[in-house]
Amino acid sequence: MHHIDVSGISLQDIQIFLAAAEHENFTRAAQSLYLSQSFLSKRVMALEKATGLYLFVRDKRGVTLTDAGRLLQEKLKNINEDVFRAFQQARDLQAGVEQSLRIGMIRLGDYFFLDTIMKFRNRNPQIALRAEQFMFKELRDKFVDGDLDLIFTTTYEIDYLPKTHYNSLILQEAPLVAVMSRENPLAGKKSIQVSDLENQLLLMVHAQDSPGFVKMLDDLFGQHGFVPRVSYYAQDGSSQLLNVLMNEGVLVVTKYFLWNHADPRICQVPIESTSGGIGIAWRKTNKNPALEKFIRHLTYSDISGVKL
């Protein structure tokens, strides 16, 4: 049996391995960590030597994980978050913070709930709030992996979560809007029908990034008897703003996405007989007392339209 010399393995080596495993390309992995490709390659080889494991198959096209490498990636994938969380908890303890709450949210144009969060923080100084923004897929992955206690996201993403594992609370609902260039003929209307979009090119989000968004639109257009004509796909709505500005298509989103957007070349037109909004979701098995207190605060806050 090969002796594993862990004394030569650092946390950075594990971070390097995870980046290389994610990208399966040493150059891109090095760029993501702001390291040189040669240094990253040497550290991967040192890790393989110390562990006696062949982690990557190398060829002219790049690198691919071996079975052993894939197993190690699965076992170590959360180590960065675990280590950071351990240091953060120790820091909180030293600072006298008794509890913490990890919040994730999608990027929005209107954070109508921010004042309510600030009131909660002011009333509960013993609870440390950790809030961070993500794109749809990263937010969902971190939530499912247990790295976040609670997420703020769209109602159509919440609808896609299995009800057997997650609870949710709708904060505000409103008609969906069509975000478009002011050069679009529909831009002059006060509101439009779903059928008005039948002959429009649409800007979409990839199904793997936001399956809830894609399902919502498929159901909506299917009910009106047409299949959308797609111009471009992207990771999230904010990645489509340049295409909106160039009048390359129409983006259908919740109104909170661009509520305070200042660019005069863009407008959003309400779509009649539709509904979309923002809510929160949390895992049913999460017994964090700070989470329970935060949900009670939201339920009885001045955010209008709250319903379970």
Side-chain angles (χ1 to χ4, degrees):
M1 181 179 292
H2 181 87
H3 173 68
I4 299 177
D5 182 14
V6 295
S7 64
I9 300 174
S10 67
L11 178 60
Q12 184 186 39
D13 290 334
I14 296 175
Q15 291 174 321
I16 285 173
F17 163 71
L18 290 173
E22 178 184 355
H23 293 280
E24 290 196 318
N25 182 291
F26 283 0
T27 299
R28 289 199 295 270
Q31 290 172 347
S32 72
L33 296 174
Y34 301 98
L35 300 172
S36 69
Q37 189 273 336
S38 60
F39 177 79
L40 182 139
S41 181
K42 288 178 182 177
R43 293 315 305 166
V44 170
M45 287 190 289
L47 181 63
E48 289 179 315
K49 182 177 180 180
T51 60
L53 296 171
Y54 294 102
L55 301 174
F56 296 94
V57 176
R58 299 159 173 84
D59 57 35
K60 294 180 180 179
R61 293 174 296 178
V63 297
T64 55
L65 282 166
T66 63
D67 289 342
R70 203 166 299 282
L71 174 65
L72 194 63
Q73 179 193 31
E74 179 64 25
K75 297 295 185 182
L76 296 178
K77 65 181 181 180
N78 293 324
I79 193 168
N80 287 339
E81 288 82 1
D82 291 342
V83 170
F84 173 80
R85 192 178 303 128
F87 279 109
Q88 189 63 63
Q89 288 173 350
R91 182 180 178 183
D92 289 344
L93 180 64
Q94 182 173 283
V97 175
E98 298 174 9
Q99 300 170 18
S100 64
L101 186 65
R102 299 162 297 164
I103 300 174
M105 58 186 70
I106 57 169
R107 296 180 174 90
L108 295 169
D110 178 19
Y111 296 95
F112 61 87
F113 45 79
L114 184 58
D115 286 346
T116 302
I117 293 177
M118 296 295 288
K119 287 179 182 177
F120 177 83
R121 188 183 68 173
N122 293 336
R123 293 173 183 174
N124 299 275
Q126 80 283 5
I127 299 177
L129 297 182
R130 316 291 181 199
E132 194 170 353
Q133 292 177 306
F134 303 96
M135 289 186 176
F136 279 121
K137 186 177 185 303
E138 189 177 8
L139 178 67
R140 187 173 60 254
D141 288 347
K142 285 186 173 294
F143 182 48
V144 171
D145 288 343
D147 298 326
L148 299 168
D149 292 302
L150 174 141
I151 59 171
F152 286 80
T153 189
T154 59
T155 51
Y156 40 81
E157 276 290 286
I158 290 174
D159 288 342
Y160 198 79
L161 293 170
K163 301 297 186 291
T164 53
H165 294 86
Y166 302 97
N167 287 321
S168 61
L169 190 69
I170 298 173
L171 300 180
Q172 285 196 10
E173 286 187 293
L176 295 171
V177 296
V179 179
M180 63 188 75
S181 164
R182 290 198 180 274
E183 297 178 6
N184 190 301
L186 297 177
K189 294 179 174 289
K190 291 184 177 180
S191 64
I192 61 174
Q193 304 287 335
V194 175
S195 57
D196 291 327
L197 298 173
E198 183 172 2
N199 296 318
Q200 293 286 323
L201 289 175
L202 295 184
L203 301 169
M204 296 285 286
V205 175
H206 288 294
Q208 64 266 31
D209 291 305
S210 179
F213 174 81
V214 173
K215 184 180 185 304
M216 179 271 294
L217 289 187
D218 284 347
D219 291 346
L220 181 65
F221 297 137
Q223 291 167 8
H224 289 79
F226 68 92
V227 176
R229 299 166 58 213
V230 180
S231 175
Y232 293 103
Y233 285 92
Q235 287 182 305
D236 68 355
S238 60
S239 304
Q240 293 284 22
L241 286 181
L242 183 60
N243 287 320
V244 172
L245 283 166
M246 295 191 299
N247 200 20
E248 293 292 336
V250 175
L251 178 65
V252 177
V253 290
T254 170
K255 77 167 188 177
Y256 302 104
F257 171 65
L258 279 179
W259 189 252
N260 294 319
H261 199 277
D263 198 310
R265 295 168 293 179
I266 291 178
C267 69
Q268 53 184 16
V269 182
I271 306 172
E272 295 179 12
S273 303
T274 63
S275 180
I278 301 298
I280 60 172
W282 65 97
R283 190 184 296 273
K284 288 184 175 181
T285 56
N286 190 331
K287 301 303 181 184
N288 183 347
L291 173 63
E292 296 178 9
K293 185 175 293 187
F294 185 75
I295 293 168
R296 285 198 306 271
H297 175 78
L298 283 180
T299 303
Y300 298 105
S301 70
D302 54 3
I303 297 179
S304 61
V306 173
K307 61 181 181 180
L308 289 167

